[in-house]
């Protein structure tokens, strides 16, 4: 296993998955803009001004429950500074401050029953407004500038965190991990060494334990190096910083929390390590019954591809294979708090390895 060239190949494949978004950004680096938000602000100001005119000329035609003329004018006065900041290319820090002020106001209006729709005629939900308000408020408190979501030129720490959430091909990454684990754990059963191991006068549970311990030590270290190398490359080719940039999330669909980009990256890495432990446990359970690599790989691929869609409850390990949805949920979720999923994954993996040890103890055959 240690001498196999395939080991280096898997490490390179994992690194390619983690760096994939960088290849898509080649030749298209841009700081981003707030054009979508600007259009929404202009639409809302236009709607308010039209309703003010209706109050002045045809008050009887004003829909019931509409804000008063004074309230509408006050809202227009709130919208003007943020529109001007974006329209006249004020500093990103100034735009962030103005957006934070209006977003706080917007949340309050939606709580009071106001309905807002964007330029695409989609309703602005209270949760969406609160998530954005939490991010903007945190940035404003830190005196930092917002980096638009469409920006491809941004601080390296922020880019890496955003890539982990939405940029990397997660299915490819999980499939690569499954193939890596499956092919490595079952390798010795497919080689001549298996006949020698069968003759060794040592309890087979000891052999299995040593094999799993050696594999986990090497694989966890290797992935840690690859994950760190990807972060280092991202922060080297992009401007430095961005690790304190806030990300908003919710667990119950009501209360909103934030975490920094650095915290998110660490949790993502720890979850990936826990996934390796979990897949190793599943592979160890399959191993006593077959030496067929294809069966092992099909079983592991089914777990990582199909599992997350059919098993969704707080203590199901497959729930936490979808790192983006469970580390930074943006809707009510049944998963545990961010980071606790790694304990669930590792716990199930260790339990599976323990069960495999029991099976091997009874059979005395690897």
């Amino acid at each position: 296993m240690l001498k196999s060239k395939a080991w280096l190949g898997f490490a390179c494949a994992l690194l390619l998955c983690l760096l994939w978004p960088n290849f898509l950004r080649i030749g298209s680096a841009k700081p981003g803009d707030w054009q979508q938000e600007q259009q929404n602000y202009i639409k809302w100001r236009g709607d308010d001004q039209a309703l003010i005119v209706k109050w002045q000329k045809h008050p009887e035609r004003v829909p019931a429950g509409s804000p008063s003329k004074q309230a509408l004018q006050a809202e227009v006065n709130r919208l003007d500074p943020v529109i001007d900041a974006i329209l006249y290319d004020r500093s990103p820090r100034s735009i962030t401050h103005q957006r934070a002020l209006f977003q706080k106001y917007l949340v309050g209006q939606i709580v009071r029953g106001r309905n807002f729709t964007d330029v695409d005629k989609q309703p602005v939900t209270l949760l969406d407004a609160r998530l954005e308000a939490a991010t903007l408020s945190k940035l404003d408190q830190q005196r930092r500038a917002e980096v638009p979501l469409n920006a491809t030129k941004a601080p390296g720490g922020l880019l890496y965190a955003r890539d982990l959430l939405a940029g990397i091909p997660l299915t490819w990454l999980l499939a690569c991990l499954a193939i890596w684990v499956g092919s490595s754990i079952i390798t010795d059963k497919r080689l001549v060494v298996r006949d020698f191991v069968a003759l060794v006068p040592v309890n087979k549970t000891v052999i299995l334990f040593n094999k799993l311990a050696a594999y986990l030590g090497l694989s966890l270290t290797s992935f840690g190096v690859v994950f760190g190398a990807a972060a280092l490359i991202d922060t080297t080719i992009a401007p430095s910083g961005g690790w304190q940039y806030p990300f908003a999330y919710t667990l119950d669909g009501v209360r909103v929390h934030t975490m920094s980009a650095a915290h998110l990256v660490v949790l993502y890495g720890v979850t990936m390590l826990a996934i390796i432990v979990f897949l190793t446990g599943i592979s160890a359970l399959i191993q006593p019954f077959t030496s067929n690599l294809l069966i092992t790989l099909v079983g592991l691929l089914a777990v990582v591809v199909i599992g997350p869609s059919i098993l969704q409850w707080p203590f199901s390990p497959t729930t936490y294979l979808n790192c983006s949805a469970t580390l930074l949920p943006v809707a009510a979720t049944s998963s545990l708090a961010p980071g606790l999923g790694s304990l669930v994954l590792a716990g199930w993996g260790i339990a599976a390895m323990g069960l495999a040890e029991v099976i091997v103890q009874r059979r005395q055959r690897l």
Side-chain angles (χ1 to χ4, degrees):
M1 181 174 67
L2 292 174
K3 297 179 180 180
S4 174
K5 294 181 180 179
W7 193 269
L8 181 59
F10 281 120
C12 292
L14 291 171
L15 183 61
L16 179 62
C17 286
L18 292 172
L19 293 178
W20 183 253
N22 288 286
F23 296 103
L24 302 180
R25 286 193 290 265
I26 293 177
S28 62
K30 61 178 183 178
D33 56 51
W34 291 269
Q35 185 174 356
Q36 179 73 25
E37 291 81 0
Q38 177 186 322
Q39 291 175 356
N40 288 335
Y41 295 143
I42 292 175
K43 174 186 179 298
W44 295 334
R45 184 174 65 178
D47 292 344
D48 288 349
Q49 290 172 337
L51 198 53
I52 289 174
V53 171
K54 188 174 289 188
W55 267 114
Q56 293 172 340
K57 295 184 177 181
H58 304 285
E60 71 282 357
R61 298 181 184 177
V62 175
S66 297
S68 66
K69 183 171 65 175
Q70 292 77 12
L72 290 169
Q73 186 58 56
E75 185 166 289
V76 170
N77 294 339
R78 291 177 179 271
L79 283 163
D80 284 339
V82 65
I83 292 174
D84 290 345
I86 299 174
L87 191 60
Y88 298 113
D89 292 327
R90 303 280 171 78
S91 69
R93 174 72 188 86
S94 175
I95 294 174
T96 302
H97 177 65
Q98 294 297 336
R99 275 177 38 78
L101 292 177
F102 184 79
Q103 198 67 24
K104 182 179 180 181
Y105 166 81
L106 182 67
V107 169
Q109 291 299 301
I110 296 176
V111 169
R112 293 182 179 89
R114 288 279 303 279
N115 294 317
F116 292 83
T117 57
D118 59 22
V119 291
D120 298 322
K121 298 183 179 180
Q122 297 298 314
V124 179
T125 67
L126 177 58
L127 179 57
D128 288 341
R130 279 177 168 164
L131 288 168
E132 189 168 2
T135 301
L136 290 168
S137 177
K138 192 72 173 180
L139 286 169
D140 199 32
Q141 291 174 11
Q142 297 175 346
R143 299 187 180 279
R144 298 176 184 272
E146 180 188 15
V147 178
L149 288 175
N150 61 359
T152 54
K153 182 180 180 182
L158 172 59
L159 275 182
Y160 192 52
R162 284 182 175 177
D163 288 347
L164 292 177
L165 286 176
I168 66 170
L170 182 60
T171 302
W172 296 2
L173 182 60
L174 292 176
C176 189
L177 286 176
I179 295 171
W180 189 22
V181 171
S183 60
S184 299
I185 291 296
I186 207 170
T187 294
D188 60 354
K189 292 196 68 176
R190 305 174 67 242
L191 301 175
V192 178
V193 71
R194 67 179 179 178
D195 299 325
F196 172 75
V197 171
L199 297 174
V200 174
V202 177
N203 193 310
K204 298 303 181 287
T205 58
V206 176
I207 297 175
L208 178 60
F209 176 84
N210 290 337
K211 183 171 69 169
L212 292 175
Y215 172 74
L216 283 174
L218 184 58
S219 62
L220 295 179
T221 301
S222 298
F223 185 82
V225 171
V226 169
F227 193 77
L232 180 61
I233 292 172
D234 255 18
T235 54
T236 300
I237 63 178
S240 61
W243 294 108
Q244 297 304 315
Y245 197 92
F247 286 80
Y249 67 96
T250 181
L251 294 173
D252 57 9
V254 178
R255 290 171 295 181
V256 174
H257 314 275
T258 61
M259 73 169 70
S260 67
H263 189 190
L264 177 61
V265 169
V266 169
L267 289 182
Y268 198 100
V270 170
T271 301
M272 280 295 166
L273 295 177
I275 288 174
I276 292 176
V277 175
F278 170 65
L279 293 178
T280 301
I282 299 299
S283 183
L285 269 181
I286 298 173
Q287 175 185 273
F289 304 102
T290 182
S291 61
N292 190 313
L293 178 60
L294 181 60
I295 293 176
T296 303
L297 295 184
V298 168
L300 291 175
L301 288 173
V303 169
V304 300
V305 175
I306 302 174
S309 62
I310 60 176
L311 293 175
Q312 290 286 335
W313 57 286
F315 297 100
S316 167
T318 55
T319 299
Y320 303 96
L321 294 176
N322 188 347
C323 299
S324 302
T326 55
L327 289 181
L328 202 76
V330 292
T333 177
S334 60
S335 61
L336 300 176
L340 296 182
S342 58
L343 299 179
V344 175
L345 284 162
W348 277 88
I350 293 172
M353 285 184 269
L355 181 57
E357 290 278 355
V358 172
I359 294 172
V360 169
Q361 170 68 28
R362 289 180 175 274
R363 291 160 53 98
Q364 278 301 303
R365 187 171 73 250
L366 291 174

